[in-house]
Amino acid sequence: MAISPVLDLKEDILRLKKERNAVILAHNYQIGAIQDIADYVGDSLGLAYRAQETDADVIAFCGVHFMAETAKILNPNKTVVLPDKDAGCSLEQACPADKLEAYLAEHKDRNYYVIAYINCSAGVKALCDVICTSGNAPKIVNQAPKDRPILFVPDANLGQWVIEQTGRKMDLWQGSCYVHVEFTRESIQKIKDEYPDAKVIAHPECTKAVRLLADEVCSTEKMVHFCRESTSENIIVVTESGMLHRIQKEVPEKNLIPGPTDHCACADCRYMKMNTLEKLRACLENLSPQVELPEEVRAKAEISLLRMLEQSK
Ligand code: 13P
Ligand code: SF4
């Protein structure tokens, strides 16, 4: 019987993983084949904890660049490779470090406490006081000093949701995720009308108009927990399409319906989908591309990341 090329590819990846003493970490939005071969699949928070805990020599990070960078910030002496170094993020692009630095210099008198959503560069992490993810944002904001104004970067939608959750006032950087803002009140109402008994789960990067239609607004990992606990058979999942693979594996009995946009039956993040099994094999084989960071930036970024991991426990 002929062996299929996909099987060869998977065998190569597993062999290289062993030879390199590597761990494969994957975000919930990765293609199914990558999720299935990974050692751990999760949200940004879970992935940061896994990266912190690992004793592997090499971390092969299947997600987007800022996530692999986070693993490197926490592991300066490990080799961190990623399948495609061009896998960026529209939120990261919305808040370049030089712009944030200039803004903080211009508003020095405000003495901002800066909270950065993890979807940002190491340069931005180095400029802020603490990091948060969608999985812990209200918890982190609640621990911010009461006597300083908060600047929240870069996602204005997530920031608005956190204000609603915590009652804390925050100045918001006006960035957004190009994928999640594609969901509209009309597109989600339409699918709700088709499945009137369905529960709706939405990521906090969605606009308020969409969040208002959701039964639960949460991080990707918490979506898995919600589906496990829910008694509803039909669940509308308003986030990137890779999430459905992860939830379906964990709760096969549920009927998952992708949240549609105005033009598409589901939403894909073009950056997350740049990663393939071929590129994963290549990065393990060549140990390239690697994440490299100036030590000064890494060390400063580590302070805000460790503060988050500590405050998030
Ligand atoms: P999570 O941390 O909830 O997985 O979100 C990451 C992300 O990029 C959402 O677009
Ligand atoms: Fe960035 Fe949005 Fe893609 Fe998440 S889905 S990685 S926030 S562009």
Side-chain angles (χ1 to χ4, degrees):
M1 196 180 73
I3 299 173
S4 83
V6 173
L7 270 181
D8 283 352
L9 205 49
K10 287 184 182 166
E11 268 177 25
D12 279 358
I13 291 169
L14 294 173
R15 175 182 52 81
L16 285 162
K17 192 180 83 150
K18 211 168 166 191
E19 281 171 19
R20 303 286 191 214
N21 187 26
V23 65
I24 301 175
L25 304 182
H27 186 263
N28 286 322
Y29 295 165
Q30 290 297 284
I31 56 166
I34 289 184
Q35 291 193 29
D36 294 347
I37 208 163
D39 295 294
Y40 176 79
V41 185
D43 67 357
S44 309
L45 184 60
L47 288 163
Y49 276 119
R50 282 299 159 124
Q52 191 188 33
E53 287 159 10
T54 187
D55 54 9
D57 296 320
V58 174
I59 300 174
F61 205 109
C62 302
V64 289
H65 189 269
F66 78 82
M67 295 178 175
E69 217 175 44
T70 301
K72 183 69 182 179
I73 293 167
L74 296 168
N75 291 286
N77 298 323
K78 291 193 197 300
T79 301
V80 179
V81 292
L82 64 170
D84 192 320
K85 69 170 174 19
D86 293 327
C89 168
S90 67
L91 277 169
E92 178 183 353
Q93 289 150 17
C95 185
D98 57 344
K99 283 221 172 101
L100 176 60
E101 195 168 21
Y103 184 89
L104 291 174
E106 202 187 322
H107 298 86
K108 215 168 182 279
D109 55 314
R110 301 276 287 138
N111 188 25
Y112 274 123
Y113 185 76
V114 186
I115 304 181
Y117 183 34
I118 198 163
N119 295 39
C120 64
S121 66
V124 166
K125 289 183 176 77
L127 288 171
C128 69
D129 293 285
V130 68
I131 307 297
C132 72
T133 75
S134 59
N136 62 16
K139 195 170 183 179
I140 299 296
V141 169
N142 273 328
Q143 293 175 72
K146 297 274 187 299
D147 56 348
R148 285 174 69 188
I150 301 172
L151 175 65
F152 187 90
V153 304
D155 190 358
N157 287 306
L158 179 90
Q160 188 55 50
W161 174 71
V162 176
I163 291 173
E164 290 157 20
Q165 299 297 302
T166 60
R168 290 294 299 264
K169 275 174 72 175
M170 303 197 294
D171 290 341
L172 304 177
W173 196 270
Q174 292 303 308
S176 62
C177 162
Y178 92 97
V179 180
H180 287 87
V181 297
E182 282 284 299
F183 300 112
T184 65
R185 190 170 59 156
E186 292 70 30
S187 69
I188 302 305
Q189 189 57 58
K190 205 161 158 232
I191 195 83
K192 266 173 79 97
D193 293 343
E194 273 178 53
Y195 296 89
D197 64 332
K199 293 282 184 211
V200 178
I201 49 178
H203 197 274
E205 290 171 11
C206 293
T207 62
K208 184 167 184 176
V210 168
R211 293 197 310 269
L212 284 172
L213 295 175
D215 296 285
E216 182 75 3
V217 176
C218 60
S219 77
T220 59
E221 198 57 30
K222 288 183 183 167
M223 288 181 177
V224 178
H225 299 285
F226 180 91
C227 292
R228 218 180 265 135
E229 301 296 310
S230 175
T231 51
S232 180
E233 188 196 338
N234 296 322
I235 302 178
I236 300 169
V237 183
V238 188
T239 192
E240 209 270 351
S241 65
M243 195 63 224
L244 278 88
H245 180 84
R246 171 74 204 288
I247 304 177
Q248 201 72 78
K249 258 179 102 167
E250 307 259 353
V251 265
E253 69 280 11
K254 298 284 179 204
N255 178 37
L256 304 174
I257 304 135
T261 70
D262 287 336
H263 357 267
C264 240
C266 65
D268 278 341
C269 171
R270 64 171 172 268
Y271 303 113
M272 286 282 181
K273 297 302 193 270
M274 282 179 173
N275 297 331
T276 60
L277 282 181
E278 285 82 359
K279 290 183 196 172
L280 173 56
R281 173 175 60 186
C283 79
L284 279 167
E285 193 155 49
N286 307 324
L287 290 184
S288 166
Q290 276 190 36
V291 180
E292 270 156 314
L293 285 169
E295 178 53 22
E296 199 191 324
V297 174
R298 190 210 63 80
K300 281 189 188 154
E302 188 181 26
I303 296 171
S304 53
L305 255 175
L306 291 179
R307 189 169 288 143
M308 170 188 86
L309 295 176
E310 191 52 40
Q311 291 187 1
S312 187
K313 277 180 187 160

